[in-house]
Amino acid sequence: MSLAEALGVDLGTMQGWESGRRPLANVKAGALLSMRRRLGALGADPGVLGLLDPAMDADQIIGAALQPTCELGTHPLAAWVHTRDTAHMLAWAVTGVPPSAVAMRLTAPRRGPAAVAPVLAAADRQLFFDHLRETAEAARLTSGAVLLRRQALYLASYDRGPEAASWTAHALHVRRGLLARRGWSEHWAEARSTATALARLGDPQPLVDFIERSMAGDEVAEAANLNYWAYWLGGVRLPYSDDQFMQDRELAGWDPVALLRGLSRGLHRAPGYVDLYAHTLWALLGAYPWLPRAAGLLARDVGERTGRLLDAGEITGRCRQELSTVYYVLRDRT
């Protein structure tokens, strides 16, 4: 009651937002902006407030799946390149696993209609994944729908049911020809997405091969990987409507220290992607040799993390070589 009063809304509206009966995205833009600022003034966690946009993006994507009325060209997954926060919000709804940024802030359940988590019911979850698979198939047959297809297919890989995993693996393996292309190509982002999705399904070799053939030693591809990581981790303020921004070899528009911080946080959380993390760290330090001194304590922390990975021993030859370079550069320049 007190929060509703502080925000200037009635209790029924507040309960509707908390239970999901009233989508927050339906609030007028001006009212939503005022409410976010008011929440900040009331002491709300800035990190949680920062997740409102990806949460509403996730709601829009889920809504498009549960009530499919839009054309392929106007589908939310065709309109902008989504970020990790959006993907993790979607994963929370379909797997029940909260994003790390939220998990540490979750409190004990309260009385009343407030939802414990935004987890979809089983029937809605099935409908959501069915829609993603149908959308991916339709986009495959539609000219100019590359972004829609790769994002729908990537999200479909979150469905770990036996039949679903088999379909996703088959759909991804059909695209494995993209992974054989060397260096940058117009299909580079789709190939990268395919390789990372296969890694999530337990097959890391395509990602290892992609790094070797389609990234290492190619200036445009190396820049594309750094640009995409910066965008994926939320280091780029404005959303992009397609993948063309990845080709910027000037690496403009993002902070390398912020990218180093984002990579360090995920280095131990996704063992299937360790080769990609290692190569990206190696390329980032190569592009910004001054970074270890500028990053200070962060650089030392990343050095310790890479040292532990090297001691663990279960990494590929390229990964070991690049992590060793990262380790010694960080050790000698901090």
Side-chain angles (χ1 to χ4, degrees):
M1 175 71 78
S2 59
L3 180 58
E5 292 176 350
L7 295 177
V9 299
D10 61 71
L11 183 59
T13 297
M14 175 63 67
Q15 291 176 339
W17 290 338
E18 292 181 325
S19 65
R21 295 193 311 272
R22 294 188 177 188
L24 191 59
N26 289 349
V27 176
K28 291 182 178 180
L32 180 60
L33 180 61
S34 296
M35 184 177 68
R36 292 173 70 161
R37 290 175 174 168
R38 182 61 181 153
L39 285 169
L42 291 170
D45 189 326
V48 174
L49 288 180
L51 293 173
L52 278 176
D53 283 347
M56 289 191 290
D57 286 341
D59 279 351
Q60 188 178 9
I61 295 168
I62 291 172
L66 300 185
Q67 296 179 334
T69 58
C70 60
E71 300 292 331
L72 287 183
T74 58
H75 193 286
L77 291 176
W80 80 97
V81 182
H82 68 240
T83 65
R84 182 184 64 174
D85 284 341
T86 300
H88 284 187
M89 284 292 176
L90 284 163
W92 189 11
V94 298
T95 68
V97 178
S100 57
V102 173
M104 64 185 68
R105 298 178 172 94
L106 291 178
T107 58
R110 295 182 287 119
R111 294 181 181 179
V116 177
V119 180
L120 291 175
D124 286 341
R125 187 167 59 249
Q126 183 64 50
L127 186 60
F128 174 73
F129 282 121
D130 286 346
H131 171 79
L132 287 178
R133 288 187 281 270
E134 291 168 2
T135 300
E137 286 294 340
R140 181 174 63 87
L141 304 174
T142 303
S143 175
V146 174
L147 178 63
L148 174 59
R149 173 175 170 76
R150 81 165 178 83
Q151 296 197 138
L153 192 52
Y154 180 85
L155 292 173
S157 68
Y158 279 106
D159 189 351
R160 304 309 294 271
E163 293 184 4
S166 176
W167 180 92
T168 305
H170 174 73
L172 290 168
H173 279 283
V174 166
R175 310 298 290 172
R176 284 189 70 156
L178 298 174
L179 303 177
R181 303 189 181 200
R182 294 196 172 273
W184 172 263
S185 75
E186 60 181 355
H187 298 288
W188 185 91
E190 186 180 2
R192 184 186 186 279
S193 184
T194 298
T196 54
L198 285 168
R200 178 187 296 115
L201 294 176
D203 183 6
Q205 191 58 46
L207 183 55
V208 174
D209 294 340
F210 175 77
I211 294 169
E212 178 68 34
R213 285 198 293 256
S214 303
M215 192 184 305
D218 185 283
E219 290 186 7
V220 179
E222 295 283 19
N225 183 56
L226 291 174
N227 288 327
Y228 190 28
W229 266 113
Y231 183 86
W232 175 252
L233 295 175
V236 178
R237 288 184 57 84
L238 298 177
Y240 284 104
S241 60
D242 57 44
D243 295 327
Q244 295 305 308
F245 73 95
M246 299 181 195
Q247 300 180 61
D248 176 19
R249 279 186 277 183
E250 298 299 320
L251 305 179
W254 50 268
D255 177 10
V257 176
L259 178 52
L260 180 64
R261 182 177 297 109
L263 291 169
S264 71
R265 290 172 178 171
L267 190 57
H268 283 77
R269 294 176 184 169
Y273 306 135
V274 66
D275 288 81
L276 184 57
Y277 273 93
H279 185 79
T280 305
L281 283 169
W282 174 85
L284 181 63
L285 292 176
Y288 298 98
W290 49 263
L291 188 55
R293 291 189 177 89
L297 291 175
L298 171 62
R300 284 196 286 274
D301 178 65
V302 177
E304 292 174 1
R305 290 171 184 260
T306 57
R308 289 195 293 271
L309 279 174
L310 288 167
D311 290 340
E314 297 179 358
I315 52 179
T316 64
R318 170 181 282 278
C319 184
R320 174 168 294 281
Q321 181 180 0
E322 291 176 342
L323 276 181
S324 296
T325 300
V326 170
Y327 175 79
Y328 288 114
V329 166
L330 292 174
R331 188 194 67 175
D332 296 342
R333 297 183 188 175
T334 55

